[in-house]
Amino acid sequence: MPIRAQVSIIIPALNKWNLTRDCLRSLREHSPLEDCEIIVVDNGSADATATELEPLGQGLFGERFQRLRHEENHNFGPACNLGAEAASAPLLFFLNNDTLCSPGWLPPLLEALREENGPAAVGPLLLYPDGRVQHLGVGFALRTVSHLYQGYPRSHPVVDKKRHLRALSAAALLLPKDLFHDCGAFCEEYRNGFEDVDLSLQIVSRGHRLRCVSQSAIFHLESQTPGRSTHERHNGEILLARCRDLLASDLHLHALRDGLKPTLDDALGLSVLLSEVESARLSAGSRKESPAWMQEQLTANPGWLLGARLLSKTFEKQGQTDAALHYAMKAAEIHATFETFGELLRLSRMAGHAEITAQAEATLKDFTNLYDGERPAITLLLARHQKEASSDPALLRLLENKKTEIDRRLAKAHSHN
């Protein structure tokens, strides 16, 4: 009798047998077996995956398990496409092998897909092993792509908000098989990156919605495949060539709706900061509270830039240079500016951390190159972004505010020459 499954779970794997093994065991423990078939596509593994995958899969899932194999690595997209071709269920769930399922992960995803006028594709909340957010959607900002609210605590109010997204990670992505093929499956020009962003944009361009369903959680170790970031430039060029007209900024809109403060850093990257009101409230409290309280507040509010800088100054005054350096790094991660990286450079030299010093020096050199010359590159980049953002009043305001700041900095630099 043929297998009847509601969901085909497709897992591409390249070596890292221990990750695939643990992923399959978590699926068996936390998935309704009668609803699923499991398809693992071995992308030419040379480790124990080649010999151990079949017996483990059969032992855990019986006839609901399939092993497919490429004799050499064909990359993420082709592996997933091969799994999709072999799938018998009407729904496809793409899942990275560096994930661990949690109890009850599947029903909320299925419920979301069944909603009237609901999303056409959904993904679970992806968490780091320590419980912080790894992925609850993709945000776009001035032609850059990033995970929305990455590093935020699971308990933060933004995590459970329902929001329409323009892209989801294929580390864990559920969608109808017909829709997947209608959108052209995963584009095989990419090399382990942006296949999911491209597919998501194709779905949205057809008038559909995407959602991260936070009631479903999966732990993601993230980027465990060797050379995961090797092809970023190639992938970025492919994405721009295929999806240029679909790459509209939305990260600032998410931040504004969530009561946070979007702002541009000194390289025109978009930072999401704690609102000025909340930042002022916490900063006032820090004058009478301990550093431990401040640390707890920064963990709960990762966009509290002033808190990171206050902690750095506090620990420096106490002679705890390494702790001061740690929070200077936090401040530079939150908002990349001449000031935050200048402070990071000063403290890294004081602490004798050569690697951090070199990184800070390189970033400051990049900033300086952007602002130097008769026609600074930063002003040309700003003008290009303003032209592209002409139909987005909120983004135009951010760019105008940054232009005022840049003009002031350039005028000050010229007055010293």
Side-chain angles (χ1 to χ4, degrees), residues 96-111:
N96 277 17
N97 69 330
D98 59 346
T99 56
L100 296 171
C101 295
S102 65
W105 68 272
L106 182 56
L109 298 178
L110 296 175
E111 289 169 14

Side-chain angles (χ1 to χ4, degrees), residues 13-18 20-21 24 40-58 65 67-72 97:
L14 173 61
N15 297 315
K16 301 281 185 177
W17 165 243
N18 60 317
T20 304
R21 177 199 63 207
L24 291 174
V40 179
V41 183
D42 179 0
N43 234 346
S45 297
D47 67 351
T49 305
T51 56
E52 300 296 325
L53 175 58
E54 184 79 25
L56 179 67
Q58 292 292 342
F65 176 80
R67 169 187 177 258
L68 305 176
R69 179 172 169 84
H70 284 134
E71 290 307 316
E72 58 185 26
N97 69 330

Side-chain angles (χ1 to χ4, degrees), residues 7 38 54 57 62 140 143 156 213 246 265 374 391 408:
V7 181
I38 314 298
E54 184 79 25
F140 296 84
R143 292 197 175 177
H156 197 284
V213 181
L246 304 176
D265 65 26
E374 288 294 320
S391 61
R408 189 183 304 123

Side-chain angles (χ1 to χ4, degrees), residues 9-16 19-20 23 39-45 49 53 68 70 73-83 93-99 170-171 186 192 225:
I9 300 174
I10 299 165
I11 305 171
L14 173 61
N15 297 315
K16 301 281 185 177
L19 296 178
T20 304
C23 175
I39 301 170
V40 179
V41 183
D42 179 0
N43 234 346
S45 297
T49 305
L53 175 58
L68 305 176
H70 284 134
N73 180 16
H74 286 204
N75 295 320
F76 176 86
C80 288
N81 289 344
L82 179 65
F93 184 63
F94 297 101
L95 183 66
N96 277 17
N97 69 330
D98 59 346
T99 56
F186 286 116
N192 299 334
T225 302

Side-chain angles (χ1 to χ4, degrees), residues 257-416:
R257 292 187 194 109
D258 294 335
L260 299 170
K261 179 186 176 183
T263 190
L264 297 174
D265 65 26
D266 284 344
L268 301 187
L270 194 135
S271 306
V272 176
L273 308 184
L274 191 64
S275 71
E276 292 180 357
V277 171
E278 277 299 293
S279 180
R281 183 183 69 81
L282 293 178
S283 300
S286 68
R287 289 195 288 268
K288 56 185 178 181
E289 298 286 354
S290 67
W293 180 87
M294 294 171 64
Q295 289 170 306
E296 289 175 2
Q297 296 305 314
L298 181 59
T299 298
N301 301 279
W304 187 27
L305 174 63
L306 186 54
R309 301 190 77 174
L310 287 170
L311 277 164
S312 182
K313 290 177 182 177
T314 298
F315 284 119
E316 184 181 5
K317 287 179 182 178
Q318 295 176 355
Q320 300 183 53
T321 307
D322 283 346
L325 177 60
H326 172 79
Y327 286 103
M329 291 178 65
K330 283 280 187 188
E333 289 170 5
I334 294 169
H335 194 43
T337 65
F338 281 98
E339 288 73 22
T340 57
F341 272 91
E343 192 68 2
L344 180 60
L345 177 61
R346 183 182 69 81
L347 285 167
S348 66
R349 285 172 173 168
M350 183 187 300
H353 284 272
E355 184 177 350
I356 298 174
T357 296
Q359 292 171 353
E361 287 175 339
T363 299
L364 287 168
K365 183 179 179 180
D366 289 341
F367 283 168
T368 300
N369 289 339
L370 278 173
Y371 286 73
D372 273 354
E374 288 294 320
R375 297 185 67 200
I378 193 70
T379 60
L380 301 176
L381 183 61
L382 181 68
R384 191 186 82 186
H385 287 326
Q386 287 177 308
K387 183 178 180 180
E388 292 176 349
S390 59
S391 61
D392 186 335
L395 185 55
L396 278 175
R397 282 194 295 273
L398 292 179
L399 289 163
E400 283 296 329
N401 290 341
K402 194 64 184 180
K403 183 179 186 301
T404 300
E405 186 182 321
I406 289 170
D407 289 344
R408 189 183 304 123
R409 181 181 292 278
L410 292 174
K412 183 177 180 181
H414 290 151
S415 70
H416 289 314

Side-chain angles (χ1 to χ4, degrees), residues 187-319:
C187 172
E188 298 189 2
E189 295 179 59
Y190 295 102
R191 301 171 189 163
N192 299 334
F194 288 159
E195 299 95 338
D196 46 7
V197 174
D198 189 316
L199 176 65
S200 295
L201 292 172
Q202 303 307 323
I203 294 170
V204 170
S205 73
R206 287 161 171 77
H208 300 297
R209 293 174 173 176
L210 309 177
R211 186 192 304 167
C212 174
V213 181
S214 62
Q215 293 74 29
S216 170
I218 289 179
F219 293 95
H220 186 204
L221 303 182
E222 192 184 31
S223 301
Q224 292 292 314
T225 302
R228 177 68 175 80
S229 302
T230 303
H231 305 293
E232 282 187 353
R233 182 170 182 176
H234 164 85
N235 293 332
E237 290 172 352
I238 298 296
L239 183 67
L240 193 60
R242 285 176 50 86
C243 304
R244 182 186 299 269
D245 295 338
L246 304 176
L247 294 172
S249 296
D250 65 358
L251 179 56
H252 64 294
L253 298 175
H254 288 296
L256 288 168
R257 292 187 194 109
D258 294 335
L260 299 170
K261 179 186 176 183
T263 190
L264 297 174
D265 65 26
D266 284 344
L268 301 187
L270 194 135
S271 306
V272 176
L273 308 184
L274 191 64
S275 71
E276 292 180 357
V277 171
E278 277 299 293
S279 180
R281 183 183 69 81
L282 293 178
S283 300
S286 68
R287 289 195 288 268
K288 56 185 178 181
E289 298 286 354
S290 67
W293 180 87
M294 294 171 64
Q295 289 170 306
E296 289 175 2
Q297 296 305 314
L298 181 59
T299 298
N301 301 279
W304 187 27
L305 174 63
L306 186 54
R309 301 190 77 174
L310 287 170
L311 277 164
S312 182
K313 290 177 182 177
T314 298
F315 284 119
E316 184 181 5
K317 287 179 182 178
Q318 295 176 355

